[in-house]
Amino acid sequence: MRDRLFIIIAGSVVGLLAVILVLQGNPANMGFCIACFIRDIAGGLGLHRAGVVQYLRPEIIGLVLGAFVTALYVREFKATGGSSPVLRFALGMLMMAGALIFLGCPLRMVLRMAGGDWNAFVALPGYVLGVWLGTLFLRRGFTLGRSQEQAPVNGYAGPSIAVVLLILLLAAPAFIFFSEEGPGSMFAPLTLTLGAGLIVGILAQRTRLCTMGAIRDLILFKDYHLFLGFAAIFVVALIGNLFTGQFIPGFAEQPVAHLDGVWNFSGMTVVGLAAVLAGGCPMRQLILTGEGQSDALITVLGMGGGAAFMHNFGLAGSPAGVAPAGQWIVIISLVILFIIGAANIKMPAKNKSKERAKAS
Amino acid sequence: MSELVDCRGLSCPEPVLLARQAIQREADDTLTVIVSNAVARDNVTRTARAMGRQVKVEEEGEDFKLQISK
């Protein structure tokens, strides 16, 4: 009961902070968007040159550092990794590809729904479909293999990168890009964005909040624990938007969104399936990075690489829609995801462990 | 002879899936699940309790040993 209350509180805080961040300067319906913000960071570092989406988003830095400090405090920080790193990098890329077709990670999908963007309601069933497809692989024994304990420096890499990004943001050297127009130029004050990231990082580390796990556990186990957090984000953001006049229902002219229903739906199918195979939504990957999991860090780096790829080759969606090349990316992504899923189905470990038990 | 399910290095939901299968298989027997992270410890514990089992958690070095019984 206490756990359930805690995850509802965590989801509520995420929803509330998202509304406040938009009121204070973040792009509309983008209080939090992990995919967009990682894309903005990739742009800020000059990995892509889409001038309207370049900014070292402090929310991301805060999420990693909040989870890191909390994990240290509760003694859950542990440097692990080595479980199919190349495939995890690819899954990060594909997760980003799908998100940049839809224009948002699952968290922003929920926030867009709460802001009255009906296009996000079209994307939601696509996301659920993707997660469901992922559970089919899990039920058949999909696994990326076991992670190993690693030297602590592997675990500190993620939080260290976050600190370096914060220094670069504060020092603002000439080689860091800052958008002068577009979504990248819209941001709430640093103390607020960094603080919001830290708070959510702490709460998400403790509650294991995950927008993919929410749907996955419902489908796999009829366990609605994580879903409570997911629902709380929506309900609180919706109420907040209604109270602050930010609830503007409709399909057309939604902020940082397009009307292309097929690609909104299928883009999120890619995200859902990739997230199941990678073991967590984009936000959860940041939290796990803070806990010392280099497998999650490599997924996050894959997301950064995916963002650069999508923007450098003009594949990302835009308010004008999804270009034909971007549409091909969705199809190619789904094919690659099915290959990764099918190629990693292994016999359950039960037989092996039984043998081991008998031997011992 | 109680079954041992080694879930070290696996991340959720895999430990939960394996533990559930084992609980269903060994309906009357006790079962030991070893996990290597706190998330798996919490999730397997919650699942086993939801299936009407008792769970005893022991720390074993860097890992957690979960004794699951009726």
Side-chain angles (χ1 to χ4, degrees):
Chain A
M1 191 62 216
R2 224 183 94 236
D3 284 357
R4 280 186 200 159
L5 192 63
F6 194 22
I7 196 154
I8 291 172
I9 291 171
S12 304
V13 171
V14 174
L16 182 65
L17 286 172
V19 173
I20 293 172
L21 287 169
V22 173
L23 278 177
Q24 293 297 314
N26 271 24
N29 296 343
M30 209 190 278
F32 288 102
C33 174
I34 309 308
C36 317
F37 291 178
I38 290 176
R39 180 265 322 271
D40 291 353
I41 290 176
L45 295 173
L47 299 177
H48 68 73
R49 302 300 162 103
V52 293
V53 284
Q54 297 173 323
Y55 180 55
L56 303 184
R57 293 275 178 189
E59 291 91 337
I60 300 293
I61 299 168
L63 278 162
V64 173
L65 294 180
F68 171 61
V69 172
T70 312
L72 278 182
Y73 182 71
V74 299
R75 296 178 49 238
E76 287 182 6
F77 180 86
K78 196 168 171 184
T80 58
S83 156
S84 304
V86 173
L87 294 185
R88 286 182 191 272
F89 189 89
L91 290 171
M93 283 188 85
L94 298 171
M95 198 146 56
M96 181 59 88
L100 291 182
I101 293 294
F102 164 65
L103 297 178
C105 69
L107 181 52
R108 181 166 191 250
M109 177 183 72
V110 176
L111 296 175
R112 281 175 61 175
M113 287 162 56
D117 181 344
W118 297 152
N119 300 295
F121 284 91
V122 176
L124 176 65
Y127 184 56
V128 174
L129 172 68
V131 175
W132 176 75
L133 289 170
T135 63
L136 296 184
F137 287 110
L138 286 174
R139 282 185 201 278
R140 280 160 183 74
F142 171 86
T143 177
L144 288 177
R146 291 172 196 261
S147 61
Q148 312 290 326
E149 212 170 320
Q150 296 181 317
V153 65
N154 289 279
Y156 291 122
S160 303
I161 293 171
V163 170
V164 170
L165 287 174
L166 184 59
I167 294 169
L168 289 172
L169 175 67
L170 295 173
F175 61 85
I176 295 296
F177 294 82
F178 291 92
S179 293
E180 285 170 5
E181 53 173 354
S185 67
M186 300 165 75
F187 46 85
L190 172 68
T191 45
L192 201 60
T193 48
L194 186 63
L198 285 168
I199 291 169
V200 175
I202 294 166
L203 291 173
Q205 198 283 333
R206 292 317 299 140
T207 59
R208 335 291 191 201
L209 191 66
C210 174
T211 62
M212 177 280 293
I215 313 286
R216 180 199 64 198
D217 288 358
L218 260 187
I219 296 172
L220 270 182
F221 310 125
K222 297 188 176 57
D223 176 354
Y224 57 88
H225 179 76
L226 291 174
F227 187 78
L228 291 173
F230 185 81
I233 299 172
F234 173 73
V235 171
V236 172
L238 176 65
I239 294 170
N241 284 334
L242 284 169
F243 269 98
T244 55
Q246 296 185 92
F247 181 81
I248 303 161
F251 276 106
E253 292 182 36
Q254 289 292 345
V256 200
H258 60 73
L259 290 160
D260 227 331
V262 171
W263 304 106
N264 281 328
F265 180 97
S266 54
M268 285 312 282
T269 303
V270 170
V271 177
L273 177 52
V276 174
L277 301 185
C281 71
M283 181 179 71
R284 183 87 186 125
Q285 300 294 344
L286 291 175
I287 302 303
L288 295 174
T289 298
E291 291 179 11
Q293 294 196 18
S294 59
D295 287 331
L297 173 59
I298 202 87
T299 312
V300 173
L301 295 176
M303 291 178 70
F309 182 82
M310 293 295 283
H311 279 286
N312 285 336
F313 296 102
L315 305 167
S318 73
V322 180
Q327 298 173 6
W328 274 108
I329 284 294
V330 172
I331 295 161
I332 294 166
S333 297
L334 286 171
V335 171
I336 297 173
L337 287 168
F338 272 89
I339 293 171
I340 293 177
N344 287 285
I345 290 175
K346 298 199 175 87
M347 286 296 287
K350 60 186 180 192
N351 298 334
K352 267 190 197 163
S353 56
K354 241 182 178 171
E355 282 161 23
R356 209 175 296 172
K358 276 174 189 155
S360 62
Chain B
M1 156 109 233
S2 83
E3 183 177 345
L4 175 77
V5 183
D6 182 359
C7 297
R8 282 176 293 184
L10 295 178
S11 49
C12 278
E14 289 168 46
V16 176
L17 280 167
L18 294 174
R20 281 176 74 98
Q21 286 167 2
I23 289 171
Q24 283 159 358
R25 226 171 21 239
E26 311 275 321
D28 300 315
D29 216 340
T30 57
L31 177 72
T32 305
V33 180
I34 304 182
V35 298
S36 56
N37 61 71
V39 180
R41 176 198 64 197
D42 296 347
N43 287 345
V44 172
T45 302
R46 203 172 64 236
T47 302
R49 288 198 176 133
M51 292 173 85
R53 299 298 197 276
Q54 294 186 332
V55 185
K56 213 174 90 197
V57 182
E58 284 169 45
E59 260 191 79
E60 208 181 58
E62 294 281 309
D63 304 322
F64 301 96
K65 203 167 164 186
L66 311 179
Q67 305 274 8
I68 298 173
S69 58
K70 260 230 149 143

